[in-house]
């Protein structure tokens, strides 16, 4: 048991479901893809938590990535910023865990106390992907809690932004739900008390009828003053600014309904329209709740602090210590390990620096730095550990200044929705019709004039219009969600339908970061290919792994005298011959590398080189052809122009491809397109795209992991759904079409109601029938239509 096998029998890992390697790991007759997955299984098994695997097949997350360092959590200043509550004995901590995805996750996270009894409680918030842990701080530390979570496959995501931003409050959502509950309760009771009056029961005595009407009026008060309060505030605020929005006719209709109902009930001249008032407020609040629906576990307003680590390793008097990033000052000596981010502008003092600045500049080629050279914040170290001396604190670094650029930070104008546009004309038309009806009857019958005026305002209240957009867009939002396209709000769908110009970033956006093809220039015999494969198999470098995959040969020869210089190359003796593969500088040959090139020397004889060519994301060619039929396509890249010829077929005009673009250049280019009247959608993935994403009419961050950092945007598109973008845009246009059609349906209902209202013949029963009927019709029509168009666009 617990020994590594030579041959894999199953095809997928028992823990995470990944494909098994040639030599899989085994424990208790189960097969695992890596030692990490096997370790998690053993931990759960040892603590009698194997039921984790019962609820879902392969519920775990892959453990192949490197273990994270949590030393910084021992720093009291950092820990104090992260905890929700602490005293002498107990600490409560909320953590965001991206790996939460199924019922098995919830079950395991809420049974952490079985692994460590010092954890007294743990509760999971599935929609927000958060777990709240309560633990005894004298027996277990914050760091140990996080390490425990990481050891069972649920590593929390902790960023610098968590340290400085306040937790988003969900009070507004709770308040809205409470208002819906109050309106729903009052609506149900008012309808029950109104039934005898609707059907004119003979036995319904006048005293009971009057008593029930007074109860209805009392139930209408909390609906008016509490549930509908926001509509009056919004209408008044916008009126003061000279704006007629949809809340104005809604607030007017609600107010008129209550006033007329109060007068009729007090004077005992009628039952009033309290039932209609309660149903109206109840349904429009549900529409508002759906309109505000968003993704709790995604952040569309991230900044550079989400990209930076929480703490950094400082070196003082030969000793290493973890320090919060905001405590870094000029002159501090810091240690940056492989794959860590440079947090501040600094000078290289020790080690070999090979840095990836693609996320900041867009340049895909790694940059090498020599001792004494300045390294700017934001680069990721690709080689071994390096030591640097800080030149400027984080707040004054180049990256921070770039982000805080006033142009980048400027707020966009709010998206103009159909409902807000139509409401201006609807409000004016409503007031004109109501006034005309009142004036028509004023000389004949004053009571009838008042009845006609108020009846028009009641029956023509834009309930259906207020519901058509939320229900249509909420249905489309859920369809996008299922297809891994996440929007900041429902209003973004309408903006997506208006897009006329699409601007792409290159590196990380249209390129596939996980796929690369090799081509070999030179001569290699089959035996030499075998030796190369056996040598490269010993390296963990991405190019070495890709080379082994590309050669696709089983292991044959043992490797002796193996040496690797991280990021430069590897050497070894295979089958009695000395092999050296790597960069030209590493091999000591005078060849200029272009792109990712691996040169080959066998017994000091140059055999040629492998070139790794970037591939475009799957479906990019078809995407470009489809969008190019009715959209203007542009490319803005911070990279060099080595791919210009390869990209030419995808863009209509070569003048619309621009390389070596700085973040400011990209932003200016978007502004220029907008000045020409274009509605611009920008697709990017890095900090260098942040300004352009914010300035564009619709900024879409493309990412291969929605939990990783992405700049502030209006939408997040999972890389696997990149080829569906034309279908998303078509569905957005169809959604707007559905809204227009539902608006016409609501107008038809209003015309029928107005026919009776202008004559002063509108009864409470008729209003109680027409209002819910139009509402139900709109909800059914919008929901079914949205699903119909989703199927038409192959998104369901």
């Amino acid at each position: 048991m617990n020994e590594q096998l030579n041959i894999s029998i199953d095809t997928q890992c028992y823990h995470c479901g990944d494909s098994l390697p040639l030599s899989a790991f085994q424990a208790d007759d189960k097969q695992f893809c890596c030692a990490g997955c096997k370790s998690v299984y053993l931990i759960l098994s040892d603590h009698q938590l194997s039921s984790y695997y019962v609820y879902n097949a392969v519920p775990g997350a892959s453990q192949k990535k490197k273990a994270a360092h949590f030393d910084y959590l021992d720093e009291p200043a950092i820990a104090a910023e992260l905890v929700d509550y602490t005293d002498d004995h107990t600490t409560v901590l909320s953590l965001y865990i991206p790996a939460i995805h199924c019922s098995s996750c919830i079950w395991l996270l809420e049974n952490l106390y079985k692994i460590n009894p010092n954890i007294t409680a743990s509760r999971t918030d599935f929609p927000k992907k958060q777990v709240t842990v309560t633990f005894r701080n004298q027996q277990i530390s914050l760091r140990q809690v996080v390490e425990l979570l990481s050891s069972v496959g649920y590593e929390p995501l902790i960023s610098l932004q968590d340290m400085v931003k306040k937790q988003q409050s969900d009070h507004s959502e709770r308040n809205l739900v409470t208002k819906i509950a109050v309106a729903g309760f009052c609506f149900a009771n008012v309808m029950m008390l109104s039934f005898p009056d609707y059907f004119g029961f003979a036995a319904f005595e006048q005293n009971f009828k009057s008593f029930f009407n007074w109860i209805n009026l009392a139930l209408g008060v909390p609906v008016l003053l509490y549930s509908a309060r926001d509509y009056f505030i919004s209408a008044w605020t916008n009126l003061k600014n000279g704006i007629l929005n949809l809340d104005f006719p809604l607030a007017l209709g609600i107010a008129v309904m209550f006033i007329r109902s109060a007068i009729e009930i007090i004077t005992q001249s009628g039952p009033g329209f309290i039932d209609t008032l309660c149903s109206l407020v109840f349904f429009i609040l549900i529409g508002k709740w759906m309109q505000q629906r968003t993704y709790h576990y995604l952040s569309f307003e991230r900044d550079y602090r989400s990209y930076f680590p929480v703490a950094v390793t400082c070196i003082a008097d030969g000793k290493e210590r973890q320090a919060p990033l905001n405590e870094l000052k000029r002159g501090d000596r810091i240690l940056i390990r492989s794959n860590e981010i440079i947090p501040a502008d600094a000078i290289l003092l020790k080690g070999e620096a090979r840095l990836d600045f693609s996320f900041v500049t867009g340049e895909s080629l790694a940059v090498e730095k020599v001792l004494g050279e300045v390294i700017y914040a934001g680069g990721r170290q690709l080689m071994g550990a390096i030591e640097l001396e800080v030149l400027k604190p984080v707040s004054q670094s180049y990256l921070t200044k770039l982000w805080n650029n006033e142009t980048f930070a400027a707020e966009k104008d709010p998206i103009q929705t159909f409902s807000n546009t139509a409401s201006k004309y609807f409000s004016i038309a409503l007031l004109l019709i109501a006034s005309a009806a009142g004036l028509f009857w004023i000389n004949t019958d004053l009571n009838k004039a008042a009845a006609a005026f108020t009846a028009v305002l009641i029956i023509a209240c834009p309930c259906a219009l207020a519901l058509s957009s939320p229900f249509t867009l909420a249905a489309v939002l859920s369809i996008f969600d299922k297809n891994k396209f996440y929007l900041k709000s429902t209003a973004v769908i309408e903006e997506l339908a208006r897009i006329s110009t699409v601007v792409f970033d290159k590196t990380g956006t249209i390129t596939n970061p996980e796929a690369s093809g090799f081509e070999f220039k030179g001569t290699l015999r089959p035996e030499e290919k075998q030796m190369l494969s056996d040598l490269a198999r010993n390296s963990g470098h991405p190019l070495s792994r890709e080379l082994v995959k590309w050669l696709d040969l089983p292991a044959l020869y043992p490797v002796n005298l193996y040496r690797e210089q991280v990021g430069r190359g590897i050497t070894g003796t295979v089958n009695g011959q000395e092999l050296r593969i790597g960069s030209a500088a590493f091999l000591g040959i005078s060849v200029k590398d272009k792109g990712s090139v691996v040169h080959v020397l066998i017994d000091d004889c140059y055999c040629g080189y492998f070139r790794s060519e970037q591939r475009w994301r799957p479906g990019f060619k078809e995407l470009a052809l489809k969008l190019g039929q009715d959209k203007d396509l542009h490319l803005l890249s911070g990279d060099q122009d080595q791919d210009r010829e390869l990209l030419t077929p995808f863009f209509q005009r070569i003048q619309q491809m621009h390389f070596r673009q700085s973040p400011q250049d990209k932003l200016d280019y978007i502004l220029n397109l907008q000045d020409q009247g274009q509605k611009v959608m920008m697709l990017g993935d890095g900090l260098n795209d942040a300004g352009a994403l914010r300035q564009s009419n619709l900024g879409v961050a493309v990412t291969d992991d929605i939990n990783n950092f992405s700049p502030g945007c209006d939408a997040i598109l999972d890389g696997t759904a990149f080829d569906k973008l034309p279908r998303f845009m078509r569905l957005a246009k169809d959604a707007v079409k559905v809204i227009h059609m539902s608006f016409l349906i609501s107008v038809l209902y209003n015309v029928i109601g107005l026919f009776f209202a202008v004559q002063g013949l509108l009864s409470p029963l008729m209003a109680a029938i027409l209002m819910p009927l139009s509402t139900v019709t709109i909800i059914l029509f919008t929901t079914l239509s949205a699903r119909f168009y989703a199927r038409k666009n192959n998104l369901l």
Side-chain angles (χ1 to χ4, degrees):
M1 189 177 81
N2 303 345
E3 294 180 358
Q4 196 170 349
L5 296 178
N6 292 324
I7 299 175
S8 172
I9 299 171
D10 298 327
T11 59
Q12 62 177 190
C13 176
Y14 181 73
H15 176 73
C16 71
D18 282 2
S19 298
L20 292 174
L22 184 64
S23 297
F25 293 81
Q26 184 185 27
D28 299 336
D29 299 323
K30 308 291 190 301
Q31 303 260 22
F32 303 94
C33 65
C34 63
C37 286
K38 172 185 161 185
S39 298
V40 173
Y41 169 80
L42 291 174
I43 291 171
L44 298 179
S45 181
D46 290 345
H47 291 87
Q48 289 77 49
L49 293 172
S50 297
S51 297
Y52 173 69
Y53 298 98
V54 173
Y55 299 110
N56 294 273
V58 292
S62 174
Q63 302 298 304
K64 291 177 182 175
K65 62 182 179 180
K66 293 181 180 178
H69 296 280
F70 297 111
D71 304 0
Y72 61 87
L73 294 177
D74 287 332
E75 287 293 317
I78 295 174
E81 293 291 336
L82 290 174
V83 300
D84 299 331
Y85 168 82
T86 188
D87 57 28
D88 293 339
H89 306 287
T90 302
T91 297
V92 180
L93 171 72
S94 295
L95 294 167
Y96 170 54
I97 301 179
I100 296 175
H101 68 284
C102 66
S103 56
S104 291
C105 303
I106 299 172
W107 181 84
L108 176 59
L109 290 170
E110 294 191 350
N111 281 274
L112 291 175
Y113 67 92
K114 293 183 179 180
I115 301 177
N116 192 318
N118 293 311
I119 294 177
T120 57
S122 51
R123 291 186 60 190
T124 307
D125 188 333
F126 185 75
K128 296 183 180 180
K129 297 195 174 186
Q130 285 185 351
V131 62
T132 301
V133 183
T134 305
F135 60 93
R136 300 186 184 99
N137 52 36
Q138 298 298 321
Q139 283 76 39
I140 185 172
S141 67
L142 170 60
R143 174 184 173 182
Q144 289 171 324
V145 170
V146 173
E147 286 177 340
L148 172 61
L149 287 166
S150 185
S151 71
V152 294
Y154 292 92
E155 181 181 322
L157 187 65
I158 304 172
S159 72
L160 182 63
Q161 195 168 14
D162 297 321
M163 304 284 295
V164 294
K165 74 175 182 181
K166 293 181 179 178
Q167 290 290 334
Q168 285 187 345
S169 173
D170 57 358
H171 289 319
S172 59
E173 185 179 352
R174 268 198 229 113
N175 287 340
L176 181 57
V177 171
T178 305
K179 288 173 182 176
I180 293 172
V182 169
F185 171 81
C186 295
F187 172 45
N189 282 279
V190 168
M191 289 296 289
M192 181 182 68
L193 295 172
S194 300
F195 269 119
D197 193 55
Y198 291 157
F199 299 107
F201 293 161
F204 190 52
E205 296 182 11
Q206 184 62 34
N207 289 338
F208 282 108
K209 181 178 179 179
S210 177
F211 176 65
F212 284 173
N213 287 341
W214 276 101
I215 294 177
N216 284 347
L217 183 61
L219 288 169
V221 172
V223 175
L224 176 77
L225 299 180
Y226 177 66
S227 296
R229 180 171 178 268
D230 291 341
Y231 292 100
F232 291 102
I233 294 172
S234 173
W236 177 246
T237 303
N238 283 283
L239 269 178
K240 287 194 294 184
N241 295 317
I243 299 171
L244 279 177
N245 66 345
L246 190 59
D247 290 340
F248 172 74
L250 285 171
L252 184 61
I254 292 167
V256 168
M257 266 187 272
F258 185 82
I259 293 169
R260 178 166 168 177
S261 299
I263 292 171
E264 288 187 4
I265 292 170
I266 292 169
T267 60
Q268 296 189 0
S269 58
F273 297 86
I274 297 296
D275 49 352
T276 305
L277 183 152
C278 292
S279 68
L280 168 65
V281 174
F282 177 65
F283 283 118
I284 61 176
L285 284 175
I286 290 176
K288 185 178 181 180
W289 175 75
M290 295 192 71
Q291 199 165 19
Q292 290 182 353
R293 182 182 162 205
T294 185
Y295 305 95
H296 296 291
Y297 59 92
L298 294 180
S299 174
F300 295 92
E301 302 295 343
R302 291 164 170 162
D303 63 19
Y304 68 93
R305 293 169 300 194
S306 297
Y307 183 56
F308 278 169
V310 171
V312 67
T313 304
C314 290
I315 302 174
D317 300 325
K319 296 181 180 179
E320 296 180 9
R321 69 174 183 88
Q322 295 292 322
L325 219 56
N326 58 3
E327 291 184 6
L328 275 186
K329 58 185 183 297
R330 183 186 176 114
D332 282 352
R333 191 173 183 126
I334 58 175
L335 175 69
I336 301 296
R337 300 181 181 88
S338 178
N339 213 40
E340 289 185 348
I341 305 294
I342 310 295
D345 298 347
I347 294 176
L348 180 62
L349 299 180
K350 184 179 179 181
E352 294 182 70
R354 183 176 174 83
L355 302 157
D356 175 11
F357 279 100
S358 61
F359 205 78
V360 179
T361 65
E363 172 59 70
S364 60
L365 299 178
V367 177
E368 294 188 2
K369 297 286 186 178
V370 299
L371 297 180
E373 199 168 353
V374 174
I375 299 178
Y376 291 103
R380 186 184 294 275
Q381 166 67 347
L382 300 177
M383 299 180 69
I386 56 175
E387 292 183 17
L388 306 109
E389 182 179 311
V390 176
L391 288 177
K392 299 175 183 176
V394 176
S395 61
Q396 297 176 18
S397 69
Y398 164 76
L399 184 62
T400 309
K401 287 181 180 178
L402 172 66
W403 189 271
N404 290 334
N405 182 314
E406 289 183 6
T407 313
F408 286 16
E411 290 293 326
K412 278 199 288 193
D413 292 333
I415 296 172
Q416 289 298 316
T417 62
F418 172 76
S419 294
N420 284 337
T421 304
S423 64
K424 298 175 187 176
Y425 305 103
F426 185 92
S427 300
I428 295 169
L430 176 63
L431 289 172
L432 288 175
I433 295 171
S435 300
L439 290 172
F440 180 81
W441 293 105
I442 198 166
N443 292 325
T444 308
D445 187 339
L446 191 59
N447 289 331
K448 202 167 190 178
F453 178 79
T454 54
V456 169
L457 295 178
I458 291 170
I459 200 63
C461 182
C463 176
L465 177 60
L467 292 175
S468 60
S469 289
F471 277 90
T472 302
L473 299 178
V476 172
L477 195 73
S478 66
I479 293 162
F480 283 172
D481 179 19
K482 291 175 185 175
N483 287 275
K484 300 183 178 181
F485 187 32
Y486 309 97
L487 307 188
K488 183 178 179 180
S489 68
T490 53
V492 175
I493 298 172
E494 293 192 54
E495 193 73 351
L496 181 61
R498 302 185 189 109
I499 296 300
S500 59
T501 301
V502 182
V503 180
F504 296 94
D505 171 49
K506 183 174 80 75
T507 305
T509 302
I510 64 173
T511 59
N512 188 345
E514 295 185 358
S516 59
F518 276 97
E519 62 171 348
F520 181 74
K521 298 290 185 181
T523 305
L524 281 176
R525 300 192 309 274
E527 184 183 18
E528 291 172 333
K529 289 183 179 180
Q530 179 66 60
M531 291 190 295
L532 275 176
S533 176
D534 290 335
L535 178 65
R537 197 181 299 275
N538 290 271
S539 172
H541 192 278
L543 284 179
S544 298
R545 294 198 301 268
E546 288 297 326
L547 182 57
V548 171
K549 285 183 186 177
W550 187 79
L551 290 169
D552 194 24
L553 296 170
L556 181 62
Y557 298 117
V559 178
N560 299 313
L561 302 176
Y562 176 80
R563 297 287 185 275
E564 178 170 2
Q565 289 193 24
V566 180
R568 301 190 67 192
I570 57 178
T571 64
T573 302
V574 186
N575 196 27
Q577 293 183 275
E578 184 187 5
L579 273 69
R580 300 173 66 200
I581 62 175
S583 66
F586 175 69
L587 301 184
I589 56 178
S590 56
V591 178
K592 187 175 181 181
D593 289 347
K594 292 184 177 180
S596 300
V597 175
V598 180
H599 298 276
V600 180
L601 282 180
I602 300 179
D603 287 335
D604 292 328
C605 178
Y606 184 73
C607 300
Y609 62 88
F610 291 92
R611 180 189 295 278
S612 172
E613 297 290 349
Q614 284 184 321
R615 293 178 184 168
W616 314 125
R617 287 189 182 274
F620 173 63
K621 181 179 179 181
E622 293 77 12
L623 178 149
L625 291 174
K626 288 176 183 176
L627 289 182
Q629 293 173 3
D630 60 350
K631 303 285 187 296
D632 207 15
L633 304 186
H634 299 252
L635 178 76
L636 297 178
S637 174
D639 208 346
Q640 302 299 314
D641 64 351
Q642 65 267 22
D643 293 324
R644 184 184 292 273
E645 291 184 14
L646 293 173
L647 287 165
T648 300
F650 304 128
F651 295 89
Q652 296 99 324
R653 295 190 296 276
I654 196 169
Q655 296 86 351
Q656 293 179 182
M657 291 192 298
H658 302 272
F659 298 88
R660 305 184 188 89
Q661 297 291 292
S662 70
Q664 187 64 49
D665 292 335
K666 291 185 177 185
L667 188 147
D668 293 339
Y669 193 86
I670 298 294
L671 277 169
N672 184 52
L673 289 173
Q674 290 173 327
D675 289 341
Q676 297 171 26
Q678 301 292 325
K679 290 284 186 179
V680 183
M681 176 167 70
M682 171 74 190
L683 290 98
D685 75 312
L687 283 172
N688 61 312
D689 303 316
L693 286 169
R694 184 176 287 275
Q695 178 58 44
S696 61
N697 299 91
L698 200 158
V700 180
V702 181
T703 177
D704 292 282
D705 183 349
I706 60 170
N707 299 305
N708 283 346
F709 174 83
S710 59
C713 55
D714 300 301
I716 296 175
L717 175 63
D718 193 295
T720 57
F722 186 74
D723 61 318
K724 297 180 182 179
L725 188 60
R727 284 182 272 167
F728 292 143
M729 298 180 78
R730 284 199 302 271
L731 182 56
K733 287 188 173 182
D734 291 334
V736 173
K737 199 185 303 179
V738 170
I739 292 171
H740 292 168
M741 289 188 288
S742 62
F743 177 66
L744 291 176
I745 293 172
S746 70
V747 168
L748 179 62
Y749 272 105
N750 282 339
V751 168
I752 295 171
L754 287 172
F755 174 77
F756 296 98
V758 295
Q759 300 178 66
L761 300 175
L762 183 68
S763 67
L765 177 60
M766 188 177 296
I769 293 172
L770 276 178
M771 189 77 75
L773 186 62
S774 65
T775 299
V776 171
T777 303
I778 291 298
I779 291 172
L780 286 174
F781 175 76
T782 54
T783 304
L784 294 175
S785 297
R787 294 185 66 83
F788 167 76
Y789 282 114
R791 286 195 179 90
K792 181 182 174 184
N793 289 294
N794 297 318
L795 290 172
L796 272 183

